[in-house]
Amino acid sequence: MVTFPHLARPLTSVRGSDRPAVGGKAATLGELTAAGIPVPPGFVVTTAAFDHALRVLDPEGAIPRQIGQLPAADEAAIAEVSGQVRERILATPLPAEVRSAITGCYRALANRPAAGAPAAGAPAAGAPVAVRSSATSEDSESASFAGLQDTYLWVQGEDAVAAHVRHCWASLYSLESVTYRRHQDVPEHGLAMGVVVQVMDDPRCAGVLVTRSPVTGDTSVIVVEASWGLGSALVSGDVTPDSYVVSKVTGEIVKRTVASKLRHHQRDAAGGGVCLRDVPPKLRDVPCLADAEIYALAELGRRVSEHYGIPQD
């Protein structure tokens, strides 16, 4: 198979300085991989692939001009124009070389399924993966685009991965994303999106770690929040997570709050993707993390924070 490394490349070849070529999320994941932080293996569909596909779809460059002229306060106009753009992106097949680049990198992951994930089965099935938006505009110094573009979990198969790459691209033109860009006066010229494709883990529990208090800004603590199943339940607000505060001074857990965790996100084995299920009663009111795991996570957070020189989440 012919490869197109400028269109899709493994995360192991990506560094933080590659943000314009791969987007913010991919650049961070590549940088963490190079620093020895355990990151699930994967690849990124580059911003060059996005640009190439958009040129095929919109050779005259009308889309960025049209979006850039929308009044920030005119939600109806933004909804109409952004909806039309999304429909065009989803209806247009990937250029052949972009599809080939994605397929080649995806097949390279097929022999590396995550622990606990189902076997790949027939070669065409491939590894179950997460397909994650990585826009060049996300999390800049002046604005945060967290949650405005799409992520898809437990995607499996070459056709499904290619389709979900297009869905990620289309999410750059969601009503929320376009409205936010217009209010923040983010220019449409040069805006692009990479898409990260990573082998799925099948976690017992997942969550968020912040190397300073997200409430007070106290840099002497590390805060860990976690719940059963996939982390998407916490991010979407479907569950109240357990919370643990670790002192950087003493290394001890100085505060713990065990929540009643009623629901969790799990792989939908029947239809693919993720489904929301009730947590078994025996697990609802017990900690989802052992103390040793909390300490290990705090150490991981310390390493990441030291690598960047500033607090991280």
Side-chain angles (χ1 to χ4, degrees):
M1 177 178 290
V2 178
T3 60
F4 300 89
H6 66 295
L7 299 177
R9 50 195 281 204
L11 287 177
T12 51
S13 72
V14 174
R15 298 296 183 269
S17 58
D18 291 323
R19 183 187 186 108
V22 298
K25 186 180 280 90
T28 297
L29 291 170
E31 180 71 17
L32 292 175
T33 299
I37 303 298
V39 174
F43 64 93
V44 56
V45 183
T46 66
T47 57
F50 173 87
D51 289 339
H52 178 47
L54 206 64
R55 283 196 302 272
V56 172
L57 172 69
D58 180 35
E60 302 300 322
I63 289 175
R65 289 197 302 271
Q66 191 175 17
I67 295 287
Q69 292 170 359
L70 289 168
D74 193 342
E75 183 174 324
I78 293 175
E80 181 180 359
V81 173
S82 62
Q84 293 171 355
V85 173
R86 292 195 305 275
E87 289 177 3
R88 290 177 64 189
I89 292 173
L90 294 175
T92 303
L94 291 174
E97 53 269 49
V98 173
R99 174 62 187 257
S100 180
I102 293 170
T103 299
C105 286
Y106 178 65
R107 288 180 179 176
L109 294 179
N111 295 324
R112 302 188 64 179
V129 293
V131 183
R132 314 175 65 194
S133 299
S134 179
T136 54
S137 58
E138 65 185 20
D139 298 335
S140 65
E141 292 182 2
S142 60
S144 175
F145 289 77
L148 292 181
Q149 280 92 47
D150 287 351
T151 285
Y152 300 93
L153 306 180
W154 290 106
V155 178
Q156 190 165 4
E158 294 171 9
D159 291 342
V161 170
H164 282 85
V165 167
R166 294 209 313 275
H167 277 282
C168 284
W169 287 348
S171 73
L172 190 62
Y173 299 98
S174 70
L175 172 61
E176 296 80 8
S177 186
V178 172
T179 299
Y180 188 73
R181 291 202 301 274
R182 299 309 303 131
H183 278 289
Q184 294 291 326
D185 201 26
V186 175
E188 294 294 311
H189 178 72
L191 188 69
M193 177 180 282
V195 179
V196 176
V197 179
Q198 286 180 282
V199 170
M200 276 296 303
D201 281 326
D202 194 5
R204 184 190 79 240
C205 64
V208 178
L209 182 150
V210 187
T211 63
R212 68 177 178 186
S213 169
V215 177
T216 67
D218 182 2
T219 58
S220 71
V221 297
I222 290 174
V223 178
V224 180
E225 294 186 344
S227 189
W228 299 116
L230 294 161
S232 52
L234 189 158
V235 174
S236 65
D238 284 331
V239 67
T240 300
D242 294 344
S243 178
Y244 309 92
V245 180
V246 181
S247 170
K248 294 179 184 177
V249 179
T250 66
E252 297 175 332
I253 301 172
V254 296
K255 183 179 180 181
R256 69 178 74 222
T257 304
V258 178
S260 186
K261 301 169 288 295
L262 303 180
R263 296 178 292 182
H264 59 169
H265 284 190
Q266 295 287 305
R267 172 178 175 261
D268 185 352
V274 174
C275 60
L276 181 63
R277 294 177 177 151
D278 291 337
V279 172
K282 66 180 181 180
L283 295 178
R284 292 177 181 177
D285 297 308
V286 300
C288 63
L289 286 170
D291 284 5
E293 293 170 327
I294 297 167
Y295 293 134
L297 287 167
E299 172 61 18
L300 194 63
R302 183 193 62 78
R303 287 172 55 195
V304 174
S305 186
E306 288 185 354
H307 178 77
Y308 285 101
I310 55 175
Q312 299 290 308
D313 63 12

